[in-house]
């Protein structure tokens, strides 16, 4: 059995930085109100001619800077803000980066979509041995009602990417004796869940993004911690074993409450929400890339990824980080 993990990451944020002062008046609040309730001080908005596909391509290129795109078996793009109903964003990415041998498809699980894409990619790599590019990109600035303080102050635009492929070390379930004394490398497992009875909590209505913030918070704090604990327990761990926790950067206050409720206070928790806001499906991917490039994720770390949001959906992934040889 081959171990499968994340072998490279990348991200891209648009250049335009939008501070709280620029949004406060239209939303009927103050900059101080925004910061206190979200811990967000700025976010990035795509330029007028910059599409979701453009962001996705930039993030993909950065993840592939040391990988030959011709080796990719698949390109998966997670987005809930595709530029058009068709073609899928993934084929635009494939063409732009030169992944001529890759099959392409998009997934839409909103803010959980990147983790859903990783779960699919893991199985594809395990079967074929060929790496898979997973990109998450969203442009929410074009569907925001800037008079709605519940949503307008939270969201930004961005894209993140990861290459999933074989990694050094034993796979989960490898035959005894294959790597004496070493823990399984790469992905240990995933926890994916959806609750369609609450689909109305987050929606696009008459062209604008809408969210029932209080009920979304209740869903996250009620449903996400047990899902994370169940995933860890299924693979012989408790959440206290987690070294690095990378949750969806929905809201700075909510992320802190979630970590405390789940008992993850001892884990390193990188943040990007303060600078980029909530970038939807790209949130976990962007934060993972920044943490990886900053050396915050080290070889052997137990890493927990957690997406949650529209659907309502939860996507969590647990992996033992396996750095490539040149990074050790």
């Amino acid at each position: 059995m081959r171990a499968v993990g994340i072998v490279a990451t990348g991200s891209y944020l648009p250049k335009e930085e939008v501070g709280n002062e620029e949004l406060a008046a239209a939303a009927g609040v103050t900059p101080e109100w925004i910061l206190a309730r979200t811990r967000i001080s700025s976010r990035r908005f795509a330029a007028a001619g910059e599409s979701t596909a453009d962001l996705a391509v930039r993030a993909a290129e950065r993840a592939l800077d040391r990988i030959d795109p011709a080796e990719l078996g698949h390109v998966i793009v997670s987005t809930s803000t595709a530029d058009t109903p068709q073609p899928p964003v993934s084929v635009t990415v494939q063409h732009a980066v030169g992944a001529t041998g890759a099959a392409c498809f998009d997934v839409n699980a909103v803010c959980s979509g990147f983790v859903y894409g990783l779960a699919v990619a893991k199985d594809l790599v395990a079967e074929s041995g060929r790496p898979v590019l997973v990109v998450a990109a969203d442009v929410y600035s074009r569907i925001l009602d800037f008079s709605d303080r519940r949503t307008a102050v939270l969201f930004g635009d961005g894209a993140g990417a990861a290459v999933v492929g074989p990694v050094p070390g034993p796979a989960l379930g490898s035959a005894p004796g294959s790597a004496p004394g070493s823990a399984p490398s790469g992905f240990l497992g995933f926890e994916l869940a959806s609750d369609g009875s609450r689909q109305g909590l987050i929606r696009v209505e008459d062209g604008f993004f809408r969210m029932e913030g209080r009920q979304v918070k209740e869903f996250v704090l009620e449903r996400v911690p047990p899902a994370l604990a169940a995933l860890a327990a299924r693979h012989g761990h408790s959440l206290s074993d987690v070294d690095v926790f990378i949750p969806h950067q929905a809201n700075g206050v909510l992320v802190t409450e979630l970590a405390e409720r789940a008992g993850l206070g001892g884990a390193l928790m990188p943040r990007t929400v303060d600078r980029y806001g909530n970038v939807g499906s790209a949130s976990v991917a962007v934060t993972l890339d920044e943490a990886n490039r900053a050396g915050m994720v080290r070889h052997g770390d137990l890493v927990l990824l957690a997406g949650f949001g529209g659907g309502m959906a939860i996507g969590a992934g647990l992996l033992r980080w396996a750095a490539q040889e040149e990074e050790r």
Side-chain angles (χ1 to χ4, degrees):
M1 297 180 65
R2 61 170 59 91
V4 177
I6 292 174
V7 301
T9 61
S11 62
Y12 173 75
L13 283 304
K15 293 181 180 179
E16 182 185 358
E17 186 173 340
V18 180
N20 291 341
E21 297 79 6
E22 298 173 67
L23 299 178
V29 297
T30 65
E32 294 76 18
W33 185 94
I34 298 172
L35 185 62
R37 285 163 175 77
T38 68
R39 301 293 188 267
I40 297 169
S41 58
S42 65
R43 69 286 292 148
R44 304 289 183 89
F45 283 178
E50 202 168 32
S51 67
T52 296
D54 291 332
L55 271 59
V57 168
R58 292 287 193 89
E61 289 172 340
R62 292 180 179 179
L64 293 168
D65 62 353
R66 291 185 294 175
I67 295 170
D68 182 358
E71 297 178 1
L72 296 174
H74 295 79
V75 174
I76 303 171
V77 171
S78 167
T79 185
S80 58
T81 60
D83 304 305
T84 60
Q86 55 179 297
V89 178
S90 53
V91 298
T92 302
V93 174
Q94 181 219 41
H95 178 66
V97 303
T100 54
C104 306
F105 58 95
D106 290 3
V107 298
N108 180 0
V110 197
C111 297
S112 301
F114 177 65
V115 180
Y116 275 60
L118 293 177
V120 174
K122 183 255 188 187
D123 288 343
L124 291 171
V125 175
E127 179 181 356
S128 70
R130 297 179 68 188
V132 174
L133 173 66
V134 182
V135 186
D138 272 313
V139 175
Y140 274 98
S141 62
R142 294 182 186 141
I143 56 173
L144 293 177
D145 174 358
F146 288 100
S147 68
D148 180 6
R149 68 181 186 180
R150 295 174 300 178
T151 58
V153 303
L154 287 172
F155 289 89
D157 306 333
V163 179
V164 177
V167 295
L172 185 68
S174 294
S178 59
S182 59
S185 295
F187 287 110
L188 306 183
F190 292 88
E191 180 81 7
L192 309 178
S194 302
D195 184 353
S197 71
R198 304 195 193 188
Q199 62 184 282
L201 299 185
I202 298 176
R203 62 200 184 277
V204 176
E205 190 172 81
D206 299 325
F208 290 112
F209 183 90
R210 303 296 185 193
M211 181 172 66
E212 307 304 324
R214 186 180 300 275
Q215 295 176 66
V216 169
K217 177 180 178 180
E218 291 172 355
F219 173 88
V220 171
L221 295 180
E222 170 193 338
R223 297 285 294 274
V224 175
L228 301 181
L231 172 60
R234 200 160 60 242
H235 298 284
H237 291 285
S238 70
L239 293 179
S240 62
D241 297 331
V242 172
D243 297 301
V244 182
F245 176 46
I246 301 182
H248 168 48
Q249 306 285 293
N251 172 311
V253 175
L254 177 58
V255 166
T256 298
E257 291 187 34
L258 172 62
E260 293 173 351
R261 181 75 62 92
L264 283 158
L268 176 65
M269 188 170 70
R271 292 175 182 256
T272 56
V273 67
D274 56 330
R275 291 166 286 131
Y276 306 141
N278 180 338
V279 288
S281 180
S283 169
V284 172
V286 167
T287 308
L288 175 63
D289 177 53
E290 290 210 350
N292 181 30
R293 291 175 184 269
M296 300 170 73
V297 189
R298 300 171 298 179
H299 183 73
D301 279 350
L302 188 64
V303 179
L304 179 61
L305 310 176
F308 45 84
M312 297 291 289
I314 299 169
L318 186 68
L319 67 154
R320 181 73 65 181
W321 195 261
Q324 298 301 289
E325 292 295 334
E326 64 268 21
E327 297 173 340
R328 296 187 192 178

